[in-house]
Amino acid sequence: IRMAASVFMFKLLDQLGEKLNKNAPVIYKSLVFALVENPTDPVMRSFYLSNFKQLFETNKGIPVQMFLDPFLK
């Protein structure tokens, strides 16, 4: 269920980001939090990193700093 929910969250983020919807940052933060909170699950970690990479490549306006902050603390 966690994987399916995450897939839909990434798709929703992509859709909302294209429309500059004000809710896109909430979903973005939730996905970053989910990645940070699951560091020991290699499958989910790989999934999140792959999807974030694709997200950053296709949407250049997404602030990478918000993604990096939890890892730099």
Side-chain angles (χ1 to χ4, degrees), residues 12-27:
L12 181 60
L13 177 58
D14 191 46
Q15 296 281 323
L16 294 178
E18 285 179 7
K19 297 177 182 176
L20 301 176
N21 186 290
K22 66 179 180 175
N23 295 311
V26 174
I27 295 170

Side-chain angles (χ1 to χ4, degrees), residues 34-63:
L35 170 63
V36 171
E37 290 300 309
N38 293 298
T40 58
D41 185 343
V43 173
M44 289 304 293
R45 185 171 185 79
S46 176
F47 167 78
Y48 282 114
L49 293 175
S50 174
N51 277 277
F52 274 118
K53 180 179 182 245
Q54 181 180 1
L55 185 69
F56 293 139
E57 288 173 351
T58 58
N59 299 296
K60 302 292 184 191
I62 293 178

